[in-house]
């Protein structure tokens, strides 16, 4: 079976231990935890038993070791993670407000993750890749955008498919070249995985229905809209499928979208129908929010099946 691959930031996350804690005064922090949206995504792919690999850069430090060891342990091919001598591994510090919103202090644009260039993307590193996933959050420099385009062209050239989670900061869209780059990626996208508020981000239409039609007309085959606790919706040219969110306690929302996308893409690659892939992905997202730490909520298939079974039995009793 061919590999699912992704590319981009690999970081550690360090979290405030109390809700309402701020970074304006000393407090207790927990971490470092393995993190980075593409890293979480690929870890979840590997945990489902699907061949998986990631291209990225870390520094020559223990934050890098922590990530590489963790991804390796879960079955990810880490041979295309480059350890850069002159850079440090990226990091993110996060606090949780009382209302559940998160505030971040990122150290990514100065980190090893920002040193990724098209030279890191080679035919050899992508030889067994049948599907490539693009995270919008990774596109924070034009060098990285060029690297992403190169990866997309290699994968498409060998008959593979592309998924795209826009997950992009709004400020990036104000840069005209960045919007153009995202449109380029969209044109190659087979599976689009936006959050509810991101559906219209790259479309001309102002409402979801119009944007979905426009995106399908562009050649995207499957669109899956993530709706947090409300679940998700699937669209293709003929169908719409809505799935309610599973009722779970939300401990930490970070990583839910990444685990959701990974599970959808991997189970589709295993041959599941869109409906079943959607149910599995919905459960993977629910499991992700139940665990503290960005990558700590990735789940094996048995856990996903157990959660679905426990909810099915609740519905019948
Ligand atoms: P992020 O904020 O990390 O970018 P996202 O917007 O990409 O996240 P979400 O919609 O928050 O992704 O979550 C992805 C999926 O995970 C949802 O579509 C849903 O299936 C599941 N999920 C998320 N939050 C919850 C929750 N509180 N309860 C149950 N399921 C959830
Ligand atoms: Mg998201």
């Amino acid at each position: 079976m061919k590999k699912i691959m992704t590319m981009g930031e690999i970081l550690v996350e360090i979290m405030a231990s109390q809700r309402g804690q701020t970074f304006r005064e000393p407090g207790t922090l927990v971490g470092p935890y393995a993190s980075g949206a593409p890293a979480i995504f690929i870890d979840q792919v590997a945990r489902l038993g699907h061949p998986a690999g990631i291209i990225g850069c870390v520094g020559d430090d223990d934050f890098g070791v922590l990530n590489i060891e963790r991804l390796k342990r879960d079955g990810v091919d880490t041979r295309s993670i480059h350890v850069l001598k002159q850079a440090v591994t990226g990091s993110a510090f996060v606090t949780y407000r009382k209302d559940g919103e998160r505030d971040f202090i990122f150290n990514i644009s100065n980190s090893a993750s920002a040193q990724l260039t098209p030279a890191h993307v080679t035919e050899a590193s992508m030889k067994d890749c049948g599907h490539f996933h693009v995270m919008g959050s990774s596109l924070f420099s034009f060098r990285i955008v060029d690297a992403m385009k190169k990866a997309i062209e290699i994968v498409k050239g060998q008959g593979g498919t592309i998924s795209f989670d826009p997950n992009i900061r709004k400020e990036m869209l104000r840069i005209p070249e960045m919007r153009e780059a995202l449109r380029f990626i969209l044109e190659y996208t087979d599976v689009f995985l936006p959050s509810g508020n991101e559906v219209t981000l790259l479309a001309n239409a102002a409402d979801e229905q119009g944007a979905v039609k426009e995106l399908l007309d562009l050649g995207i085959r499957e669109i899956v809209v993530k709706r947090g606790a409300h679940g998700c919706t699937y669209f293709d040219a003929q169908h719409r499928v809505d799935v309610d969110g599973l009722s779970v306690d939300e401990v930490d929302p970070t990583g839910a979208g990444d685990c959701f996308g990974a599970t959808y893409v991997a189970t589709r690659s295993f041959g599941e129908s869109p409906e079943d892939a959607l149910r599995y992905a919905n459960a993977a997202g629910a499991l992700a929010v139940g665990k503290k730490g960005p990558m700590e909520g990735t789940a094996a298939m048995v856990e996903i099946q157990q959660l679905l079974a426990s909810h099915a039995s609740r519905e019948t009793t």
Side-chain angles (χ1 to χ4, degrees), residues 99-277:
D99 64 7
E101 283 297 302
R102 292 165 286 174
D103 285 312
F104 289 94
I105 296 177
F106 288 114
N107 171 28
I108 302 175
S109 53
N110 301 316
S111 77
S113 283
Q115 306 284 325
L116 193 69
T117 73
H120 293 115
V121 182
T122 59
E123 301 261 352
S125 65
M126 308 208 63
K127 190 165 63 70
D128 306 317
C129 177
H131 182 90
F132 185 76
H133 181 73
V134 180
M135 274 295 178
S137 60
S138 309
L139 303 168
F140 52 84
S141 80
F142 287 107
R143 257 189 337 189
I144 297 177
V145 170
D146 288 343
M148 211 60 93
K149 286 182 178 173
K150 185 173 174 187
I152 290 170
E153 276 163 357
I154 293 175
V155 174
K156 281 278 165 167
Q158 55 199 36
T161 48
I162 306 290
S163 50
F164 179 30
D165 179 340
N167 211 8
I168 191 164
R169 296 209 315 273
K170 290 239 160 50
E171 310 86 80
M172 301 299 279
L173 286 175
R174 289 197 208 111
I175 310 169
E177 293 89 341
M178 191 54 85
R179 190 171 265 278
E180 236 166 74
L182 293 168
R183 291 288 302 190
F184 172 93
I185 294 168
L186 216 48
E187 281 179 22
Y188 284 95
T189 298
D190 299 284
V191 181
F192 188 48
L193 295 154
S195 307
N197 61 346
E198 293 167 343
V199 185
T200 52
L201 214 60
L202 299 170
N204 297 315
D207 65 332
E208 183 174 294
Q209 205 187 352
V212 163
K213 179 172 184 321
E214 205 179 310
L215 293 165
L216 292 171
D217 287 346
L218 205 63
I220 294 174
R221 286 186 289 150
E222 299 176 10
I223 301 175
V224 185
V225 181
K226 295 167 282 178
R227 305 193 194 277
H230 301 295
C232 50
T233 307
Y234 166 92
F235 299 92
D236 64 21
Q238 282 87 35
H239 308 96
R240 172 187 176 129
V241 181
D242 290 284
V243 178
D244 285 339
L246 297 168
S247 157
V248 293
D249 286 333
E250 185 174 302
V251 178
D252 180 356
T254 312
D258 311 329
C259 292
F260 177 100
T263 303
Y264 184 80
V265 168
T267 54
R268 287 289 285 135
S269 171
F270 281 138
E272 298 289 351
S273 66
E275 287 80 0
D276 285 337

